[in-house]
Amino acid sequence: MDKDTLQTNLSKQNICMDELLQSLFESTTDAISNRDMQGNILLVNSAFEKTYGWTYQDLTNDPYCLVPENYINETKEIFHQIKFSGKKISGYETVRKRKDGTIVHVCLTASPIRDSAGNIIGTSVIARDISDRKKAEEALLESEANYRILVENTNDIISTYDLNMKKIFVSPSVELHLGYTPYEYLQAGTFDCIHPDDVKTIVDLHQSIFTHKKNVQIEFRLKHKNGSWVYLESHYVPILSVNTEIESYLVVSRNISERKRSEEALRKSEEQYRFIAENTADFISVIDKYGNVTYSSPSHVKKLGTDTIYFENIHLDDASIVCERFSYMLQTKTPVLCVYRYRLENGNWIHLESRGMPFFSTDGEFQYFFNVTRDITERKQNEELLLRTEKLSVMGELAASIAHEIRNPLTSLKGFIQYLQPSLSENSAFTDIMLSELDRINFIVSELLVLAKPQNLHVKPVLLHTIIENVVKLLESEANLRNVEIMTELVNTSVSINCDQNQLKQVFINIMKNSLDAITSKGEISIQTKLLSDNLVLIRFTDNGCGISQELLPRLGEPFYTTKEKGTGLGLLVSNKIIIDHQGSINITSEINKGTIVEITFPIST
């Protein structure tokens, strides 16, 4: 290539370079300005005017219009070094004033402008707006200050760890909870203070955070300087870099030892009360304000067959009383006691005593109530038995005092009527009635005497079937007159019982006569025997008479209580006493218009 061609190409390259520089000068976002040695403005780009708002003409009139007054001398001094020492300045941060009066933070890069001979003929300044960065730095400084205040004054323990779980920082509060100074704690190994049983949990946790980069919470134990164990509830937070890689870990820990002790004490207390609730014979339940049962002791199922007490199973006559008592409890906020009858799943009735205790919140609002219920059926039966015994005692005393007084006149009356009977042959029907009624009175007095004093039992082994057959023969003629058929179904095995034969006959006669009286038309009386075990026999009397209502059944056996027009109410009472004296038992079931079943059990003679 010849010299002329080379010069032409270089000339073209220079032209292209000038165009490139001019393009950069105008397109850059940085503010560029050039000044001469006297500080007069020579050139500014469009970014300069956009950044500061000052135009080239403004700077021509006042070269330092964009420099705050208190920065003018500092600026002149710096540019003096550039102009006369050729010094270059880079990264110089200062402030400038916009045309609207606002302050802008800038970072300056300044260098001298030289001519072809190398002489300094001016200065060139490139300014970059760093206001946003400065605001971010100030916000960060403020945040750091607040964070430091928080860290140094919070009651929680704040600590940081590197990727290898090495301690980097711990807040002063560590001394309050663990007894170590921050320096002592940081010098200890990562796992030195952690309870051995919790180390694996911590390691697994670290791996989980590293994998999923998510916050986690954990409870573990750290050793206090005095050797005791402190429970901490810690939140682990991974600190991520701009490329979302974990750089370190922030851990905020709270001392929950007191809470743990309270929870343990509460757990033990709950275990004790639950043990009592689940092993007591009483029915304990907790019911919320909406009527939902939130707890029910196992005794419900054991005794009632259901897991709770159902209102619909309460006896109809007692339901209104139960509602009234519990309404009173809610209104007065006081415990109440209520006694009622309850039907079991098998249809039997029991007596329950419930004590309701309301529980209210601090603002007086009803929350729930405790219900403690006890089966008092046995107590009720004992009370009834005691009442019956007292009646028997009173009646016995009464019977003892009047029986002899009645029998003496009876004997005289009967003797004179028998003496006069031949002379009153024309009115023999009347004398027969009088003698019959006198015998009836004498029979009543005899039954009274049975109750009035203990009877001497002449007990000996007797064949049960023989007694039953004798009673059937005795009452067979009366049954035929009433059009009643007596049927027997006796076990093949011969059964002996220790008894007073006459008294046992009296029991069977009383029961069968009651059956005969209950049958108004053609009927049947069935007598069955059955071996319940090797030492117990059952005698069942069944009739198809008028029956007895369920309301009247419990009163059977009360002194002078009878459902018959001419009854005395003493027959079943006497029979009960005889059966008890023979270590037996009696049970009566009946249904209106269907009949009655009487079941008696006696021990078998060995």
Side-chain angles (χ1 to χ4, degrees):
M1 183 181 294
D2 59 22
K3 184 177 180 181
D4 292 337
T5 303
L6 179 60
Q7 286 179 344
T8 300
N9 291 338
L10 288 173
S11 177
K12 289 180 179 179
Q13 289 180 6
N14 288 334
I15 292 171
C16 291
M17 185 62 70
D18 290 341
E19 290 177 354
L20 178 61
L21 290 174
Q22 182 63 31
S23 176
L24 289 173
F25 182 79
E26 289 300 333
S27 62
T28 182
T29 57
D30 293 338
I32 301 175
S33 62
N34 292 336
R35 294 173 184 265
D36 61 16
M37 294 296 287
Q38 287 72 40
N40 298 315
I41 197 72
L42 298 176
L43 185 67
V44 295
N45 66 348
S46 58
F48 185 96
E49 293 184 4
K50 186 176 181 181
T51 301
Y52 296 118
W54 299 102
T55 65
Y56 174 80
Q57 188 61 44
D58 294 330
L59 291 168
T60 302
N61 296 332
D62 182 4
Y64 290 98
C65 62
L66 76 166
V67 181
E69 186 176 350
N70 55 331
Y71 282 87
I72 291 177
N73 290 334
E74 178 185 323
T75 302
K76 287 181 178 181
E77 183 180 342
I78 291 172
F79 280 89
H80 181 81
Q81 298 177 25
I82 299 172
K83 291 186 289 186
F84 299 102
S85 301
K87 183 179 179 181
K88 293 182 179 181
I89 295 175
S90 178
Y92 173 63
E93 295 182 3
T94 185
V95 296
R96 290 293 181 259
K97 181 175 67 174
R98 290 191 177 100
K99 191 173 183 177
D100 62 5
T102 59
I103 298 299
V104 58
H105 289 268
V106 293
C107 179
L108 304 181
T109 299
S111 60
I113 301 174
R114 298 178 186 269
D115 59 13
S116 58
N119 299 317
I120 297 175
I121 59 174
T123 59
S124 176
V125 180
I126 300 174
R128 177 165 293 176
D129 185 354
I130 59 171
S131 298
D132 291 341
R133 195 193 79 192
K134 280 292 184 181
K135 289 179 182 177
E137 288 176 352
E138 289 174 1
L140 180 61
L141 288 173
E142 184 179 355
S143 175
E144 287 179 348
N146 292 336
Y147 174 73
R148 184 167 294 279
I149 292 173
L150 175 66
V151 168
E152 291 180 353
N153 292 277
T154 184
N155 196 42
D156 292 342
I157 302 173
I158 298 176
S159 54
T160 56
Y161 295 80
D162 65 14
L163 290 178
N164 297 317
M165 292 302 291
K166 182 179 180 182
K167 301 168 188 171
I168 300 173
F169 168 81
V170 68
S171 61
S173 54
V174 69
E175 188 169 4
L176 173 66
H177 298 289
L178 298 177
Y180 306 102
T181 65
Y183 176 79
E184 291 173 334
Y185 185 76
L186 292 174
Q187 292 303 306
T190 302
F191 300 105
D192 289 352
C193 298
I194 299 176
H195 194 284
D197 294 343
D198 298 336
V199 170
K200 185 179 184 303
T201 305
I202 298 292
V203 173
D204 293 343
L205 174 76
H206 173 248
Q207 183 60 42
S208 175
I209 299 174
F210 187 81
T211 303
H212 303 289
K213 300 177 183 177
K214 291 184 179 180
N215 299 359
V216 294
Q217 179 178 320
I218 188 176
E219 292 181 6
F220 63 97
R221 290 158 289 180
L222 286 181
K223 182 181 288 186
H224 193 280
K225 192 174 182 178
N226 62 14
S228 62
W229 292 102
V230 177
Y231 280 89
L232 296 180
E233 180 184 75
S234 296
H235 294 263
Y236 281 73
V237 181
I239 307 300
L240 305 179
S241 64
V242 291
N243 58 354
T244 68
E245 294 296 327
I246 297 178
E247 292 183 334
S248 59
Y249 301 95
L250 173 68
V251 182
V252 181
S253 302
R254 177 163 294 179
N255 189 341
I256 58 170
S257 299
E258 189 63 33
R259 190 186 81 190
K260 281 291 184 180
R261 284 191 287 269
S262 299
E263 288 175 354
E264 180 64 17
L266 179 61
R267 185 187 63 78
K268 289 182 178 179
S269 176
E270 287 179 345
E271 284 181 354
Q272 292 172 351
Y273 285 111
R274 183 173 292 276
F275 179 81
I276 294 172
E278 292 185 354
N279 290 278
T280 182
D282 293 342
F283 316 133
I284 300 175
S285 58
V286 180
I287 305 171
D288 66 18
K289 59 183 179 182
Y290 303 108
N292 300 316
V293 178
T294 58
Y295 172 77
S296 182
S297 64
S299 51
H300 285 80
V301 177
K302 294 177 183 176
K303 180 65 179 179
L304 306 181
T306 57
D307 57 356
T308 187
I309 294 175
Y310 292 104
F311 184 79
E312 55 268 24
N313 286 359
I314 296 175
H315 196 284
L316 188 61
D317 294 343
D318 300 335
S320 58
I321 299 174
V322 173
C323 290
E324 179 187 339
R325 295 302 295 156
F326 279 90
S327 297
Y328 177 81
M329 175 190 70
L330 298 179
Q331 291 172 4
T332 62
K333 301 180 181 180
T334 56
V336 295
L337 186 68
C338 189
V339 176
Y340 53 92
R341 287 162 289 177
Y342 188 83
R343 188 181 71 252
L344 298 178
E345 291 298 301
N346 59 12
N348 293 335
W349 291 92
I350 60 173
H351 290 267
L352 297 180
E353 179 185 78
S354 290
R355 183 179 297 274
M357 291 159 282
F359 181 84
F360 297 86
S361 61
T362 52
D363 58 0
E365 183 181 357
F366 172 73
Q367 295 292 310
Y368 51 85
F369 71 85
F370 295 97
N371 189 42
V372 181
T373 303
R374 178 167 295 177
D375 182 2
I376 60 169
T377 305
E378 187 176 349
R379 190 182 82 189
K380 280 286 185 180
Q381 291 172 345
N382 290 337
E383 289 173 355
E384 292 174 1
L385 180 60
L386 178 62
L387 182 61
R388 182 177 295 182
T389 303
E390 290 175 352
K391 286 183 179 180
L392 288 174
S393 176
V394 172
M395 193 181 69
E397 293 176 4
L398 176 65
S401 63
I402 67 174
H404 292 291
E405 299 297 329
I406 294 175
R407 266 193 166 172
N408 290 334
L410 283 178
T411 303
S412 300
L413 286 171
K414 187 174 182 179
F416 282 118
I417 290 173
Q418 288 174 337
Y419 176 75
L420 295 172
Q421 194 172 19
S423 61
L424 299 174
S425 58
E426 295 180 359
N427 297 305
S428 60
F430 297 113
T431 57
D432 289 342
I433 292 173
M434 293 173 66
L435 289 172
S436 174
E437 291 302 310
L438 286 174
D439 287 338
R440 173 175 160 77
I441 294 173
N442 191 53
F443 175 75
I444 293 172
V445 171
S446 299
E447 288 193 327
L448 285 173
L449 287 175
V450 170
L451 299 174
K453 61 181 180 179
Q455 302 295 305
N456 293 324
L457 295 178
H458 303 288
V459 176
K460 61 180 180 179
V462 180
L463 289 174
L464 175 61
H465 294 169
T466 301
I467 300 175
I468 294 174
E469 289 168 356
N470 290 339
V471 171
V472 170
K473 287 179 182 179
L474 180 65
L475 296 175
E476 199 166 26
S477 58
E478 183 178 350
N480 290 333
L481 290 174
R482 298 193 183 197
N483 199 19
V484 175
E485 181 182 1
I486 301 177
M487 299 178 294
T488 59
E489 185 180 337
L490 310 179
V491 294
N492 296 327
T493 308
S494 145
V495 179
S496 295
I497 57 175
N498 288 323
C499 66
D500 185 316
Q501 185 173 352
N502 291 328
Q503 288 198 4
L504 215 57
K505 280 184 181 179
Q506 183 179 353
V507 170
F508 294 163
I509 290 171
N510 283 339
I511 293 171
M512 290 187 68
K513 285 183 71 66
N514 286 340
S515 294
L516 288 171
D517 293 338
I519 297 172
T520 55
S521 60
K522 183 178 180 180
E524 297 177 351
I525 298 176
S526 170
I527 306 173
Q528 297 173 295
T529 58
K530 180 181 180 181
L531 293 177
L532 298 180
S533 64
D534 292 340
N535 54 5
L536 196 65
V537 64
L538 168 70
I539 307 103
R540 180 184 292 118
F541 296 86
T542 306
D543 67 57
N544 59 351
C546 60
I548 306 169
S549 68
Q550 297 299 314
E551 289 75 15
L552 299 180
L553 270 178
R555 297 196 61 188
L556 294 181
E558 289 185 9
F560 305 112
Y561 177 78
T562 180
T563 58
K564 295 186 290 185
E565 184 179 351
K566 294 185 178 181
T568 63
L570 295 176
L572 194 54
L573 179 64
V574 172
S575 297
N576 281 339
K577 185 177 186 303
I578 293 172
I579 291 170
I580 292 172
D581 289 342
H582 285 77
Q583 288 85 46
S585 66
I586 182 172
N587 180 59
I588 301 175
T589 57
S590 187
E591 193 172 345
I592 292 293
N593 298 325
K594 287 191 176 181
T596 302
I597 299 174
V598 180
E599 294 182 332
I600 304 172
T601 60
F602 287 114
I604 296 174
S605 173
T606 55

